[in-house]
Amino acid sequence: MKFKSVFDIIGPVMIGPSSSHTAGAARIGRVARDLFGRKPDYAHISFYGSFAKTYRGHGTDVAIVGGILDFDTFDTRIVDALSLAKEQGVEIKITEEDALTEHPNTAKIILGDENDKIELVGISIGGGKIEIVELNGFELKLSGNHPALLIVHNDRYGAIAGVANILAKHQINIGHMRVSRKEKGQEALMIIEVDQNIDPVLIEEIESLPIVQQVVKINE
């Protein structure tokens, strides 16, 4: 196994006890919060594999709820996240699932309010690192380690070129890109991780493309 830096080995600064079960879970929750874009009215969380068996002892439940409340991995409020969610009027439902998943540390989160909801699946791969592998039925691979754009668009020719031209115009370098679709010619999802911070003007330009339905920015 190769490590890119010492932080891949020792993990991030975090509330304990486990980088994969605590810090990773908090990051999955926080990415879900970023994607939803605001405090949800409810959060329905399903744990699979090792998460399901050990979440109480490892604090996975408070960590993932802390992330949903927009707490960072080192925020000491994480330990009180369940009670703080109740105070803020966020309904929390946690379910232990028996279904087998490809990765043992898997969580599914549904966030919603009266206007909208999102559903995502995330995995904690160790050292506080995560991957979001599914969003609203779309397969993807989002690390959360870099600024990213998630672009919902019509599955038509020129979609990728139109977005790429705008990024090039603003001198934004693409680190990772993937396009996922459910059916040919229907709705598609473009996931782009970049090396620079994303200016709101850039997002407005992408939103102005006729094929684009929605743009969501994920902070590093």
Side-chain angles (χ1 to χ4, degrees), residues 34-201:
D34 282 345
L35 289 169
F36 192 63
R38 57 193 179 276
K39 184 182 75 173
D41 287 345
Y42 62 84
H44 296 169
I45 303 160
S46 298
F47 289 133
Y48 298 82
S50 180
F51 270 3
K53 293 180 176 66
T54 65
Y55 74 90
R56 289 188 180 89
H58 282 154
T60 309
D61 50 351
V62 295
I64 205 164
V65 172
I68 291 168
L69 296 180
D70 205 24
F71 300 161
D72 209 333
T73 54
F74 53 79
D75 195 317
T76 56
R77 291 176 296 174
I78 280 179
V79 297
D80 298 314
L82 292 174
S83 59
L84 290 172
K86 187 175 182 179
E87 289 178 10
Q88 294 182 27
V90 181
E91 173 205 332
I92 304 295
K93 179 181 177 182
I94 296 175
T95 305
E96 303 168 25
E97 301 286 356
D98 296 325
L100 296 178
T101 54
E102 291 187 10
H103 195 282
N105 298 333
T106 299
K108 180 173 72 175
I109 301 175
I110 300 174
L111 300 183
D113 58 20
E114 61 182 8
N115 297 313
D116 201 6
K117 76 171 185 177
I118 66 165
E119 179 178 322
L120 67 79
V121 177
I123 60 175
S124 178
I125 58 178
K129 292 183 176 296
I130 67 165
E131 287 182 1
I132 305 302
V133 296
E134 186 177 314
L135 175 64
N136 291 342
F138 290 105
E139 293 183 2
L140 68 154
K141 185 177 180 180
L142 178 66
S143 70
N145 293 327
H146 307 282
L149 290 169
L150 278 72
I151 303 166
V152 180
H153 61 95
N154 299 326
D155 181 31
R156 291 172 48 193
Y157 67 88
I160 295 173
V163 172
N165 286 337
I166 292 174
L167 294 175
K169 172 186 170 184
H170 288 268
Q171 299 182 328
I172 300 295
N173 190 53
I174 297 173
H176 172 80
M177 181 176 185
R178 177 170 178 169
V179 178
S180 178
R181 66 184 183 184
K182 298 176 184 176
E183 293 183 25
K184 181 180 178 180
Q186 301 300 312
E187 194 176 70
L189 176 66
M190 196 181 307
I191 306 99
I192 306 174
E193 291 187 333
V194 300
D195 295 334
Q196 295 88 7
N197 290 326
I198 302 166
D199 192 278
V201 174

